[in-house]
């Protein structure tokens, strides 16, 4: 079951479970503007969860599937790194100020973390056991797991998938450790010439040292050296971290496409109305905050 969530910020107020077929678009498909290919639904399934489709795909999908209804639409930039060239070439795309900031974060973490710092890479099937045993206790403590339900998957099925990918040399996993204790992890599956940003987490006690950013940069240095990849895909969803590290982006959207039954129509209308209300309240708060600052300046000027 896939939950259709009513969310404020990172807090899920409540959700409605639906039997959905997840359809995820690869980065090359989105760049080329391809429409999602929808598998046939079984009688007990309610519809599809479409992830990272090209931004203009929805109108055509509704024309092709007039019996379906869409909702919960999210549009964003899907960020990625063009990995042609070397790591030095990649770093050269940043401004001198950004490069200086990244180097400073690296030096500060090494200096202030309070122990011997190690960057560890895992790629073989037996190494996935070690990665799991070290990363899962950290993942449970992270903001990603506690607030976003986006921690490293813990099920036996998920671990079997990690080992299967490793057996085909199709995964890279990294840990940043201080005195042998993980403070950040990064998990990256590989599909052809694309390596994808799947799971990142860091110890909240070390958040001020930006361990996720430091680990990301160290991983990219090693990945560029392999000269295997065409793209590093930050997948669905926007964010400052993705925008900073990405070299390019393409407009994408994610949404629900459900069978056009009355209950499904009402659910998606409720989700859209709820999301619009939250967006309106946020916009009003931002405008009110800005007006308050102006009034304060006028009073003190």
């Amino acid at each position: 079951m896939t939950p259709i969530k009513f969310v404020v910020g990172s807090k899920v107020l409540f959700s409605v479970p639906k039997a959905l077929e997840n359809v995820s678009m690869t980065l090359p498909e989105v760049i080329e503007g391809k429409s999602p290919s929808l598998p046939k639904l079984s009688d007990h399934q309610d519809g599809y969860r479409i992830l990272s489709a090209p931004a203009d795909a929805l109108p055509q999908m509704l024309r092709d599937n007039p019996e379906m209804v869409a909702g919960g639409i999210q549009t964003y930039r899907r960020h990625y790194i063009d990995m042609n060239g070397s790591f030095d070439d990649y770093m050269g795309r940043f401004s001198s100020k950004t490069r200086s900031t990244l180097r400073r974060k690296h030096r500060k973490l090494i200096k202030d973390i309070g122990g011997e710092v190690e960057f560890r890479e895992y790629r073989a099937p037996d190494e996935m056991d070690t990665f799991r045993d070290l990363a899962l206790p950290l993942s449970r403590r992270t903001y990603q797991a506690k607030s976003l339900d986006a921690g490293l998957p813990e099920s036996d099925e998920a671990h079997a998938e990690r080992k299967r990918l490793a057996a085909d040399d199709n995964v890279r996993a990294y840990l940043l450790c201080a005195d042998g204790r993980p403070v950040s992890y990064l998990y990256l599956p590989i599909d052809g010439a694309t390596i994808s940003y799947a799971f990142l987490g860091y110890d909240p006690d070390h958040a001020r040292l930006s361990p996720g950013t430091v680990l990301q940069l160290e991983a990219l240095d090693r990945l560029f050296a392999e000269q295997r990849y065409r793209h590093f895909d930050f997948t669905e969803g926007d964010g400052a971290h993705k925008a900073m590290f990405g070299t390019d982006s393409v407009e994408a959207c994610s949404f629900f496409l459900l069978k056009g039954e009355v209950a499904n129509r009402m659910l998606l209308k409720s989700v859209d109305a709820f999301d619009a209300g939250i967006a309106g309240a946020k916009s009003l708060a931002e405008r009110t905050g800005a007006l308050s600052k102006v009034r304060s300046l006028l009073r003190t000027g």
Side-chain angles (χ1 to χ4, degrees):
M1 300 297 283
T2 300
I4 297 180
K5 302 175 182 178
F6 292 75
V7 180
V8 179
S10 60
K11 183 176 179 60
V12 178
L13 296 186
F14 60 93
S15 62
V16 178
K18 287 287 182 178
L20 303 181
E21 185 76 30
N22 287 318
V23 178
S24 184
M25 301 286 290
T26 68
L27 179 62
E29 288 173 336
V30 178
I31 292 174
E32 294 170 14
K34 293 184 177 180
S35 293
S37 177
L38 300 181
K40 183 176 177 60
L41 296 175
S42 63
D43 291 341
H44 76 276
Q45 288 181 298
D46 298 294
Y48 305 94
R49 173 60 168 151
I50 310 295
L51 298 171
S52 274
D56 58 358
L58 180 55
Q60 185 60 50
M61 293 185 71
L62 289 174
R63 287 192 291 270
D64 293 342
N65 301 275
E67 75 285 2
M68 309 289 282
V69 59
I73 303 167
Q74 299 173 317
T75 59
Y76 48 86
R77 303 300 301 183
R78 182 166 175 171
H79 297 279
Y80 62 94
I81 298 171
D82 182 340
M83 296 191 72
N84 280 331
S86 67
F87 181 69
D88 287 341
D89 295 331
Y90 168 70
M91 291 299 293
R93 300 179 188 183
F94 293 109
S95 68
S96 58
K97 180 179 180 181
T98 300
R99 289 196 302 271
S100 176
T101 298
L102 291 172
R103 285 193 293 264
R104 187 170 64 250
K105 287 179 182 292
H106 193 284
R107 289 194 303 268
K108 183 174 177 59
L109 183 141
I110 298 294
K111 177 183 177 182
D112 294 354
I113 205 166
E116 181 183 356
V117 175
E118 296 176 87
F119 295 95
R120 302 180 184 177
E121 181 180 76
Y122 304 86
R123 58 168 75 183
D126 58 337
E127 292 176 343
M128 289 299 110
D129 294 333
T130 303
F131 175 74
R132 174 199 58 191
D133 294 344
L134 292 172
L136 281 182
L138 169 62
S139 174
R140 294 171 188 141
R141 300 184 58 240
T142 63
Y143 162 80
Q144 288 81 2
K146 290 184 176 181
S147 298
L148 304 178
D149 193 25
L152 189 70
E154 299 192 19
S155 68
D156 292 340
E157 292 78 9
H159 188 57
E161 174 67 5
R162 289 191 285 266
K163 298 190 77 165
R164 185 191 67 78
L165 290 173
D168 294 329
D169 194 29
N170 280 331
V171 68
R172 299 290 180 268
Y174 299 92
L175 290 176
L176 169 61
C177 298
D179 282 340
R181 186 172 66 87
V183 295
S184 184
Y185 71 88
L186 179 62
Y187 178 79
L188 311 170
I190 301 164
D191 181 11
T194 300
I195 185 162
S196 296
Y197 176 94
F199 298 100
L200 170 72
Y202 56 85
D203 188 336
D205 292 342
H206 293 289
R208 64 181 182 84
L209 297 176
S210 304
T213 296
V214 173
L215 181 57
Q216 174 81 68
L217 205 61
E218 181 71 23
L220 285 172
D221 190 358
R222 301 182 183 201
L223 294 170
F224 269 100
E226 291 188 43
Q227 297 186 334
R228 171 180 173 180
Y229 312 104
R230 177 68 179 86
H231 298 117
F232 184 104
D233 179 17
F234 283 103
T235 69
E236 62 270 4
D238 213 334
H241 179 93
K242 300 178 180 184
M244 181 180 73
F245 280 104
T247 61
D248 301 272
S249 65
V250 60
E251 191 172 3
C253 63
S254 296
F255 52 91
F256 298 101
L257 190 66
L258 305 185
K259 294 176 179 177
E261 301 164 358
V262 173
N264 289 337
R265 291 179 180 273
M266 292 180 62
L267 173 61
L268 292 184
K269 284 182 180 293
S270 298
V271 169
D272 290 341
F274 181 86
D275 289 346
I278 295 300
K282 181 180 178 181
S283 177
L284 178 61
E286 290 173 348
R287 292 199 302 271
T288 303
L291 287 172
S292 298
K293 291 178 181 178
V294 171
R295 290 168 181 153
S296 176
L297 289 172
L298 290 174
R299 285 196 298 269
T300 58

